[in-house]
Amino acid sequence: KVEENKDKKKIIFYPEYSVRGRTTKTNDILKKINNKGINIIEEELLKIFRIFEKQSEVDYFINKNSKKFLMDRFDVYLYQYMFGDGERSYNKFNEKRINQLMVLKDVAYDVIDFISQFEDELVRIWNKPKFVLNSNYVITIDKLTDEIINKIANHPNLDRQIREWEELGMVEDGFDFNNRDEEKHKHLPIDTKYFKDLELDILGLFDNLDEELDGRLIHSENYQALNTLLPKYKGKVQCIYIDPPFNTGSDFIYVDEYKNSTWLSIIYDRILLGKEFMKEDGSFYLHLDDNANDYGKQILKKLYSEITEIIFDTNATKDEEADLFGYKSFGENFVLKHQTIFYCKNGKSKFNKLWKPNRNTTKLDIGWLDLISEKKEEIEKPKKIHDFNYYIEYWENGELLKKNIEINEKIFPIGDIWNDIFSFTQSEMRVSESFGFSSAQKPENLLRRIIQASTDKGDLILDFFGGIGTTFAVAHKLNRKYLGVELGKYFKEFYYDKKNEKKLGILGRMKWVLYGDKTMKVIDKIRKPHLSKDINWQGGGFFKYYSLEQYEDTLRKAVYKDDEHLIYNQNKSPFEQYVFLRDEKLNYCMEIQGDEVKVDLSKLYEKIDIPETLSNLTGKWIKKITEDEVIFEDGTKVDLNNIDYKMIKPLIWWCE
């Protein structure tokens, strides 16, 4: 777009043209520019594109307190300029020069004040609570009534749901829903994105909706998600596990090329915020490798009083030495065989003591599971193996039970070196459990140990670096609630990696978990998660997924007053002329009618999930959703057709 005023012409590039995809040829752009009488050659245009593209690739920050930061930097610069060594020595300055520098300081502070107003606005946009968008539910058929199943059977979108099942490998091509095997297919996952007109009927089956959900999966940048979710989940999470990028510099599908200072800032802000989600007896696990261990531990020392360092042998095998043979063997260094998991708590956290047999010789029928111990009631201070009862968690008849295990051989307590969790990258066929990231994901058995040690059935688990969804899959199979956040493109049913190979994403994996994933054929491989076999996982479930409004979405929706008279008024200082200082926020979704303020959120976004948005904003859990109202746990009812603007003000007016 070309804008003109009295003295100059300027070119403004708007994102109608795809830079990375090159969907519009430079010739087309040049032609439009030249038609406006502006001469620019292709080389100059490509240079502009390269600069624009580079700007979208570099790390950037919104400074939390830009005014203080910039003033401090300027004061340091000025001090060094005046009192530095050599030619800048203080005795070189006369009264005139000192006065000039004082004027410079005043001007610099004016500029800093102007810049900080804009930065502060960005900080407020970043921190404001976000709208819930594009929400859907996934529920297995066995949880539905015959009436709803019949409506699905005659629904015009049934074919789209069947195509998804076929693509996931759950049913054969040409599957006939009306002639399905009701026992075999009772855990087929219904996604309400295909049946939006039936969604309220499905939700109406539950008297306490939030309690009935097994989990929530949220597509969002994680800091903004945590900030939005905090009112609802503060002090409610039993266990947090995160496996963030290790800062290796490798070109993974996720960003893993941060500078150390950038990585530290990103991780610290999120761990600090995440800590507020934990219950008093909660636990926190941070999974890193040698690239970031030192940095991660320094962060944790500021937040937790007790830190246990667990060594995870990433090459563990039944044959103690076999793991040293392979692609790692010929590097000119000691072979890296471990990663570190920091287990953190403040005071007394819930802890279930775990035990294991000799994995090579055991006769106990527990597969790869650990034994969970419970102190016998009559024993005050257990000191012997037989002072405990032992069990594993095992599914029978649709219920997760404690299956007692009689101990008739030597067993050992789980220590801080985990060399008995067999990784699919080295110890077994990769196709058995690997879902993505070139087999670099964590084994389900690793998350099983963490979850069983620090939670009980029904407890809530949070992972805000969701990756390919291993935490959520294991939590669901162990009948724990889960709250998951992930921004990557692998959030969906499928994604394509850098080699353009099709992979199973989080939603696809979780739909398979609901269906029952003891044996699953996905894309071109058979996968058999060992955990599903060991605990006799039988399928079934109900979870919700949605996206959150993002920082960039808010910026695109913001409207700034365009006051031509004010912009070019020479009597105004340059800092008073810029339009962004008179932002309307998102007020255009509100209308004043007499003494009432009417709110029309459809002017902001399509498909806003208002009940979930209000639940996150107020911290109230949802009991019931109808067409016209949402009912919260405390009995509060909100009329969805007449929303009080005071309730949603933080979402559309972010001034402090």
Side-chain angles (χ1 to χ4, degrees), residues 1-4 8-12 30-41:
K1 179 179 177 181
V2 177
E3 291 187 357
E4 302 182 22
K8 59 182 179 180
K9 298 177 181 178
K10 57 180 178 178
I11 306 170
I12 300 176
L30 287 170
K31 184 177 179 180
K32 291 180 180 292
I33 294 172
N34 292 332
N35 286 341
K36 294 290 184 178
I38 300 173
N39 293 322
I40 183 172
I41 62 175

Side-chain angles (χ1 to χ4, degrees), residues 136-137 160 164 191-196 493 511 545:
N136 298 290
Y137 297 82
R160 295 174 61 194
E164 180 184 276
D191 191 328
T192 62
K193 69 182 178 183
Y194 301 118
F195 310 102
K196 296 306 287 186
E493 283 78 12
K511 288 176 178 180
Y545 68 94

